[in-house]
Amino acid sequence: MRQLNRLNQYQRLWQHSAGQPQSTNVADIARCCFCSERHIRTLLRQWQACGWVEWQASSGRGKRGLLTFLQSPSTLRSELMLQQLDNGHPQHALQLVPLAPEQLSQLLQPFMGGQWQNNQPTLRIPYYRSLDPLRPLMQPGRAEQHLAQQVFAGLSRLSGDDAVPDLAHHWQVSDDGLSWFFFLRPQLRWHHGEVVTAGQLQQRLLMILASPIGQRLLSSVKTVIQAHALCLRIDLHTQDNWLAHRLASVPCLLPHPDNPDIGAGPWRLMVNSPALLRLESHGWYHATHPLMQAIEYWIAPQLFDPGLGTSCRHPVQIAIGAQQDLTALQPVSQRISLGFCYLAIGERAGLSPAQARHIMSLVHQSGIIEQLPLEEGLITPSREMLPGWHIPDWQPDPDIILPGQLSLHYHLPVELHAMAAKLQQLLATQGCELTLHFHPEKNWQDYPSLAQADLMMGDRLIGEAPMFTLETWLRLDPMWPILSGTAGWKALLAQLNDLQHHPVLEQRHQQLKALYQQLMLDAVITPLFNYRYQVSAPPDVEGIRLNAWGWFDFSRAWIPPPVDIL
C-alpha cells in the first residue's frame, strides 16, 4: 500500500520533532525519512495537497524553511483505516495498526462493536490469538469449533439434547435399524454458488470415515451410498441410535470435497489471516438468513493487556464495543459452562481405591480450587459433572498413605498451571512428590508421553447435546484407554455399544449417567471447576445471547440502523 508507506514516512518525520514546527531543509528531511531529496520533494507536495503539512521553503540551496504539521499520524491512520473498511478491505485496514499496545488500543477501539459500513451491518470482535484454519476434523479450540458450525453444515445439527435436520430435511430408518435414508433439501448451494450434490456429500463423508477420528466416531457405519440425486443411504454394521447426533457433531460437518474452506452454512469464510478473520452472510443459505452482513475477528493480543483498561478480558468473557463505550457495556448474557476442567487418575498410578478416593476428596475438601490465583468471577468449583450428576461426598482419610512419587500430565487451558501448582503443594503435605508435565495443546491427541501419566488434567468442552458429547468423549479421547487399561477399556466400549442400541433417547441418557457416576465413584475422574461464560455489548448491538459454547449465535445478532424512531 503506497498510502501506508507515505504515512510511515510522515510518522518518522513527526516523531523527530514530536509534532512541533521545524526549521529544516529538504536534505535534513530526506535523511530523517531515509529517502532521496527528489523523493522527499514529491512527498512534501503530496502531504501539502492532502492537508497534512504546511511547507514554507526558502529560496537558495541549503536554506532552511518552516515545516508545520497539520494532522497527527494517529488521526491519519484512523481516517485511512475507515477508508479501507468503507471500501470493503478490512485486511488492508489492519496493516495500518502500529505495534505499541497503547497505540493499538487507542486506534482499534473506535472500530470495534457494531458498525455500519456502506449500509451493511458489521460486527467486529477483538480477539487475543490467531485462529487455526477451520478444519472440522481437527478443531480442538472452542472458538474454532464455534466458527466451524457457522461456516459448515452437516446432514443434521444439534439442538438442545436432540439432532434435527440440516442439509437433510428428513431421515428415515429401516425396521432393523441398519439402514438410514437422509433426504436432501433441493437447491442447496455451496458458498461460491455451486449446487450441492449428493455425490459431493458422499465423497466428504467417505473422507471422514477414512480418518482416525471418523473410524472411532462412526465405527458402526458400513457404507455410504448415493441412493438418489437427493438421497444418501447409510448402512450400519450394528444399530446406532446416536447416528443423527454423530453426523451433527463438529467432526462430521461437511466442507466442499475439493475446497476445505468452502461450506454451506450461514456464514462464508472470506479471510482467515494472522490479523483478521472475516465472515460474510451466505446469500443462498437454506435456513434462516443472518441479520448481519459480516462478522470480523480482529486479532490483537495487545488489547488483552489488563493494564490498558480495555474492554477485552479473558477469552471466555467476551466484550464487544469501543473504548468510549466501556461505561455503557453491560453483561447482556452469562451462564455457567456445562464443560469443565477435570482431574483423572489412571491405572498406571497403581493406587488402591482408598488412595484414589483420598486424593479426590483432598482436592474438593481442601479449598485449593477456591484459592486459585485467578481473576474473580472467572470460574466456579464443580459440585456435579452435569446438572444432577453429583460428585461423591467423600472426606479425606488421615490414615491413608500415598506413594512417595506420582506424575501429573496436563494440557491447556492456562488456568490448569495454577491448579497443577496447588495440587503439587497439597500432595507434598501428604508426603507425595508430584512431578508436573505440561502439554501445550488443547487436547491429548498426538501426545507421546500420555502412557507415562499417573494423574491427568484437561478441559472437556461441551456444546449442544451434553450427554451425547460425553458419550463421544469416551470414544474419541486417547486418555480413556490409558485410564482404563486394556480390560477396562474393552468393557467400557462394550457398555457404549450396548447403550447406542436403545432407541429411546431418555434410556440412553440414564445409562450414560450411571456409567459416569460409576467412574466418579471409582475415583477415575472428577470435575474440578466450570467457567463463567459472559458476553458484554454496548446498547446498539441487539440479539446477543450466549450459547452452550460460550459464544453467541452470529445469525441472530443485529445492529439497529442509524435512524430516528419517533
Side-chain angles (χ1 to χ4, degrees), residues 22 46 76 161 223 267-268 314 346 369 443 447 516 558:
Q22 295 185 28
Q46 292 173 342
L76 295 174
D161 285 330
T223 58
W267 295 93
R268 178 181 180 182
H314 189 276
I369 299 175
N443 58 33
Y447 180 49
Y516 268 100
W558 64 286

Side-chain angles (χ1 to χ4, degrees), residues 63 94 100 217 225 238 398 400 410 453 457 465 512 527:
K63 294 290 186 177
L94 287 178
L217 180 63
I225 301 167
T238 184
I400 292 294
Y410 66 101
M457 284 198 310
L512 191 67

Side-chain angles (χ1 to χ4, degrees), residues 26-39:
V26 169
D28 288 343
I29 297 175
R31 281 192 292 271
C32 182
C33 293
F34 304 105
C35 62
S36 68
E37 292 185 24
R38 180 180 177 183
H39 183 55

Side-chain angles (χ1 to χ4, degrees), residues 134-268:
L134 300 185
R135 302 291 181 262
L137 271 174
M138 302 173 289
Q139 299 289 204
R142 183 172 60 92
E144 284 87 352
Q145 291 188 44
H146 171 68
L147 284 166
Q149 293 175 93
Q150 307 300 307
V151 173
F152 305 109
L155 291 178
S156 53
R157 61 181 173 84
L158 296 175
S159 178
D161 285 330
D162 215 344
V164 298
D166 194 5
L167 295 176
H169 63 81
H170 190 70
W171 57 81
Q172 292 180 355
V173 185
S174 62
D175 291 341
D176 61 6
L178 296 180
S179 294
W180 291 57
F181 297 85
F182 290 85
F183 303 103
L184 304 180
R185 300 177 189 270
Q187 301 175 337
L188 292 170
R189 297 271 181 170
W190 296 106
H191 288 152
H192 60 330
E194 179 184 316
V195 173
V196 176
T197 68
Q200 290 171 325
L201 301 183
Q202 177 198 27
Q203 184 179 349
R204 176 55 71 175
L205 283 168
L206 292 175
M207 293 179 188
I208 295 170
L209 282 170
S211 70
I213 289 178
Q215 290 172 11
R216 298 196 301 274
L217 180 63
L218 302 174
S219 60
S220 60
V221 174
K222 180 167 63 176
T223 58
V224 179
I225 301 167
Q226 181 179 341
H228 181 269
L230 289 175
C231 180
L232 287 176
R233 171 176 172 169
I234 299 180
D235 291 330
L236 307 181
H237 297 288
T238 184
Q239 286 188 12
D240 184 1
N241 289 291
W242 288 116
L243 182 62
H245 288 74
R246 300 195 197 285
L247 294 173
S249 62
V250 172
C252 290
L253 294 173
L254 300 172
H256 191 286
D258 300 323
N259 188 332
D261 289 325
I262 292 177
W267 295 93
R268 178 181 180 182

Side-chain angles (χ1 to χ4, degrees), residues 424-561:
Q424 188 179 48
Q425 296 169 10
L426 178 64
L427 293 192
T429 66
Q430 304 288 307
C432 177
E433 179 185 356
L434 187 65
T435 305
L436 306 183
H437 303 269
F438 174 58
H439 177 45
E441 299 293 341
K442 301 181 183 73
N443 58 33
W444 295 119
Q445 300 295 334
D446 303 318
Y447 180 49
S449 301
L450 188 59
Q452 281 72 56
D454 296 320
L455 280 64
M456 305 174 198
M457 284 198 310
D459 184 24
R460 176 63 259 169
L461 291 174
I462 294 179
E464 299 288 346
M467 299 206 189
F468 163 70
T469 301
L470 290 180
E471 193 271 355
T472 304
W473 186 29
L474 293 172
R475 287 186 178 275
L476 296 186
D477 200 311
M479 172 185 77
W480 288 103
I482 303 298
L483 289 175
S484 307
T486 303
W489 173 239
K490 185 176 180 180
L492 186 59
L493 276 182
Q495 286 181 274
L496 294 177
N497 291 335
D498 178 66
L499 184 151
Q500 73 184 23
H501 291 166
H502 288 282
V504 179
L505 184 64
E506 184 58 33
Q507 290 180 329
R508 300 201 296 276
H509 286 178
Q510 290 302 321
Q511 281 203 358
L512 191 67
K513 177 181 178 181
L515 192 160
Y516 268 100
Q517 287 184 320
Q518 190 60 52
L519 289 171
M520 288 192 287
L521 285 171
D522 292 340
V524 173
I525 194 162
T526 189
L528 297 171
F529 56 81
N530 304 78
Y531 284 102
R532 294 181 182 270
Y533 289 154
Q534 178 176 297
V535 59
S536 302
D540 60 350
V541 179
E542 304 284 351
I544 302 292
R545 295 293 182 271
L546 271 174
N547 62 18
W549 294 92
W551 282 92
F552 56 94
D553 185 350
F554 289 167
S555 296
R556 303 276 62 82
W558 64 286
I559 306 169

Side-chain angles (χ1 to χ4, degrees), residues 101-402:
E102 63 279 2
Q103 291 176 295
L104 183 67
S105 175
Q106 182 181 9
L107 189 63
L108 287 189
Q109 285 293 350
F111 299 103
M112 291 298 141
Q115 305 281 337
W116 282 85
Q117 301 291 336
N118 289 335
N119 290 324
Q120 295 182 339
T122 300
L123 188 62
R124 297 196 179 96
I125 303 168
Y127 204 59
Y128 74 108
R129 64 173 175 85
S130 295
L131 292 154
D132 297 329
L134 300 185
R135 302 291 181 262
L137 271 174
M138 302 173 289
Q139 299 289 204
R142 183 172 60 92
E144 284 87 352
Q145 291 188 44
H146 171 68
L147 284 166
Q149 293 175 93
Q150 307 300 307
V151 173
F152 305 109
L155 291 178
S156 53
R157 61 181 173 84
L158 296 175
S159 178
D161 285 330
D162 215 344
V164 298
D166 194 5
L167 295 176
H169 63 81
H170 190 70
W171 57 81
Q172 292 180 355
V173 185
S174 62
D175 291 341
D176 61 6
L178 296 180
S179 294
W180 291 57
F181 297 85
F182 290 85
F183 303 103
L184 304 180
R185 300 177 189 270
Q187 301 175 337
L188 292 170
R189 297 271 181 170
W190 296 106
H191 288 152
H192 60 330
E194 179 184 316
V195 173
V196 176
T197 68
Q200 290 171 325
L201 301 183
Q202 177 198 27
Q203 184 179 349
R204 176 55 71 175
L205 283 168
L206 292 175
M207 293 179 188
I208 295 170
L209 282 170
S211 70
I213 289 178
Q215 290 172 11
R216 298 196 301 274
L217 180 63
L218 302 174
S219 60
S220 60
V221 174
K222 180 167 63 176
T223 58
V224 179
I225 301 167
Q226 181 179 341
H228 181 269
L230 289 175
C231 180
L232 287 176
R233 171 176 172 169
I234 299 180
D235 291 330
L236 307 181
H237 297 288
T238 184
Q239 286 188 12
D240 184 1
N241 289 291
W242 288 116
L243 182 62
H245 288 74
R246 300 195 197 285
L247 294 173
S249 62
V250 172
C252 290
L253 294 173
L254 300 172
H256 191 286
D258 300 323
N259 188 332
D261 289 325
I262 292 177
W267 295 93
R268 178 181 180 182
L269 180 66
M270 301 302 294
V271 179
N272 189 0
S273 72
L276 173 75
L277 181 139
R278 178 179 171 88
L279 306 178
E280 292 185 2
S281 175
H282 174 30
W284 288 294
Y285 185 50
H286 54 274
T288 303
H289 283 218
L291 303 176
M292 306 283 294
Q293 175 62 28
I295 301 284
E296 292 175 358
Y297 284 60
W298 284 27
I299 314 301
Q302 300 95 322
L303 285 180
F304 284 75
D305 182 349
L308 297 178
T310 67
S311 62
C312 306
R313 299 181 67 199
H314 189 276
V316 304
Q317 297 184 340
I318 307 161
I320 307 165
Q323 187 73 30
Q324 62 267 25
D325 295 329
L326 281 179
T327 56
L329 288 180
Q330 296 294 331
V332 296
S333 191
Q334 51 193 332
R335 66 187 294 175
I336 302 299
S337 68
L338 286 176
F340 49 83
C341 288
Y342 61 84
L343 172 67
I345 300 177
E347 187 183 67
R348 182 186 182 279
L351 300 178
S352 68
Q355 289 173 317
R357 288 194 298 269
H358 180 62
I359 290 177
M360 297 299 197
S361 63
L362 282 172
V363 168
H364 286 290
Q365 302 299 332
S366 64
I368 63 171
I369 299 175
E370 291 84 350
Q371 299 164 15
L372 292 176
L374 304 176
E375 183 179 342
E376 184 178 356
L378 179 62
I379 66 168
T380 183
S382 302
R383 294 292 177 259
E384 50 190 9
M385 181 169 282
L386 287 180
W389 296 20
H390 299 287
I391 64 175
D393 186 19
W394 292 322
Q395 296 297 320
D397 186 345
D399 296 327
I400 292 294
I401 299 176
L402 296 178

